[in-house]
Amino acid sequence: MARALIVGGAGFIGCYLVERLLDDGWSVVTLDPAKPVQDLTHERLERSTNNATDKRSLEFQVSSADCVFHLAAHVGVDRTYGHVAHTIQEHLEIDHNVFEACLNYKKPVLYTSTSEVYGKNPNIPWREDADCCLGPSTRGRWSYAASKLMGEHLALAMHRDYDLNVRVVRLFNITGAGQSNRFVLPRFAQQAVKEEPITIYGNGEQRRTFCAVNDCVDALVKLMIPRANGEIINIGTQREITVNALAKMVLSYNKGGTLKHIPYYDAYGADFDDVSGRVPNMEKIRLLIGWEPLIPLEWIVQGVLVHERGQIKV
């Protein structure tokens, strides 16, 4: 029986990945000190609450795994914005530990990076070989992207220099039921079902794409193939929607509500930069595994609304 280690397996994507692997007949170990987003138990699931900063525990789990999914990160710009030093330090430490253990025990590893690394590159849609155009280091908003980009550099350097079996995936707004309301769609849905105004940062004309988490984990599993070794691969959709239009879609399925625009200055402070558009080029993943996202945005929105309605205590 194949055995997978998921570093950061208690998070949103990690929990969906656990379910997918169990459904496929794998045994699964998660390494994550956080409480799981979904309280799933299974005879083939083992949860370790150790942190990947604990090298001895990490190496023990890597040694008995057939492959490693490295999902551990302080996910999202808003979460890291006020904890810049800690974010950078912990990301780099965990990345180094995971890659070193996988190299020592010759285990294939998948590293989850982010579309944030493309920064302000104006040439949309973004190919994996596009320039990464981050803003100045005086603006803490870019620390998350910079730390993930350094993780990519480390992974690919260890691939070139020491033959680490690694694939790097850049995720574009993965969302779905159960995601934290720190992220845009769950926040909109929660506000709508509570009959609160939907708060939109900036003018709302920022263009985004949203990929269903089930589609994402399907790609993650399939990208463990040998042909993906040493590659950077985008995962997302190419269907663009403005933040305003997304909010209106949520309201239409919730049968009414209002919108409220908040300046970035009030939400994040004076030094916050935003990106007007963020769309992946999907040619590489199509060629590698023939993958296409299947779940339309309308279904994602309705699923998130159903979930949020279920969270309201009567």
Side-chain angles (χ1 to χ4, degrees), residues 6-304:
I6 307 176
V7 182
F12 169 63
I13 296 175
C15 285
Y16 275 87
L17 180 58
V18 166
E19 285 194 285
R20 166 60 187 266
L21 291 171
L22 291 173
D23 287 345
D24 287 353
W26 291 65
S27 66
V28 181
V29 179
T30 66
L31 188 67
D32 197 325
K35 181 180 178 181
V37 171
Q38 298 176 17
D39 190 18
L40 175 69
T41 58
H42 195 283
E43 62 183 5
R44 287 185 274 108
L45 172 61
E46 174 188 340
R47 292 199 183 273
S48 170
T49 56
N50 290 319
N51 197 315
T53 55
D54 181 344
K55 294 182 70 173
R56 180 174 295 183
S57 175
L58 173 64
E59 289 181 358
F60 172 76
Q61 298 293 357
V62 170
S63 68
S64 61
D66 293 296
C67 65
V68 177
F69 295 88
H70 176 13
L71 277 59
H74 294 273
V75 179
V77 172
D78 64 332
R79 187 175 177 186
T80 61
Y81 196 61
H83 307 88
V84 173
H86 178 70
T87 296
I88 295 171
Q89 292 164 352
E90 188 162 75
H91 278 183
L92 293 179
E93 181 180 4
I94 290 176
D95 292 347
H96 176 265
N97 289 352
V98 171
F99 300 149
E100 184 176 58
C102 290
L103 179 65
N104 290 340
Y105 291 99
K106 301 188 185 308
K107 307 295 185 178
V109 57
L110 180 147
Y111 175 60
T112 52
S113 185
T114 170
S115 60
E116 284 284 324
V117 301
Y118 290 106
K120 298 188 281 188
N121 188 321
N123 300 314
I124 297 173
W126 291 326
R127 289 171 50 95
E128 290 86 348
D129 58 359
D131 290 340
C132 296
C133 306
L134 303 187
S137 57
T138 52
R139 297 196 170 190
R141 180 256 186 273
W142 296 106
S143 61
Y144 173 62
S147 65
K148 296 302 287 184
L149 189 57
M150 282 305 303
E152 292 190 18
H153 277 293
L154 180 60
L156 296 176
M158 293 179 72
H159 169 74
R160 291 189 299 267
D161 297 348
Y162 309 121
D163 203 26
L164 173 67
N165 187 338
V166 64
R167 61 278 299 128
V168 174
V169 298
R170 291 174 175 167
L171 306 181
F172 283 72
N173 283 350
I174 309 305
T175 193
Q179 188 177 34
S180 167
N181 63 13
R182 293 182 297 102
F183 294 88
V184 62
L185 177 55
R187 177 167 58 83
F188 285 1
Q190 184 182 85
Q191 291 172 329
V193 298
K194 289 184 175 181
E195 299 182 351
E196 298 171 353
I198 288 183
T199 54
I200 299 171
Y201 302 143
N203 63 15
E205 290 306 299
Q206 313 94 306
R207 302 185 316 280
R208 296 292 184 263
T209 65
F210 294 89
C211 179
V213 62
N214 298 93
D215 282 335
C216 173
V217 299
D218 179 59
L220 297 181
V221 173
K222 291 176 178 177
L223 284 169
M224 271 298 181
I225 60 172
R227 281 196 303 134
N229 184 16
E231 299 289 347
I232 300 174
I233 306 109
N234 291 334
I235 296 179
T237 76
Q238 292 191 298
R239 177 181 172 181
E240 291 184 79
I241 187 170
T242 66
V243 175
N244 284 329
L246 177 68
K248 291 174 182 177
M249 183 185 293
V250 170
L251 291 182
S252 71
Y253 287 120
N254 195 58
K255 297 182 171 56
T258 60
L259 306 180
K260 179 181 179 181
H261 289 81
I262 297 176
Y264 279 120
Y265 178 90
D266 292 341
Y268 296 113
D271 68 342
F272 187 80
D273 277 342
D274 194 27
V275 178
S276 61
R278 184 178 290 131
V279 183
N281 182 294
M282 303 300 295
E283 293 175 7
K284 180 180 279 191
I285 196 168
R286 291 190 190 111
L287 289 172
L288 278 173
I289 59 173
W291 180 86
E292 295 278 357
L294 300 177
I295 302 172
L297 180 57
E298 288 80 2
W299 291 11
I300 301 172
V301 170
Q302 291 176 70
V304 173

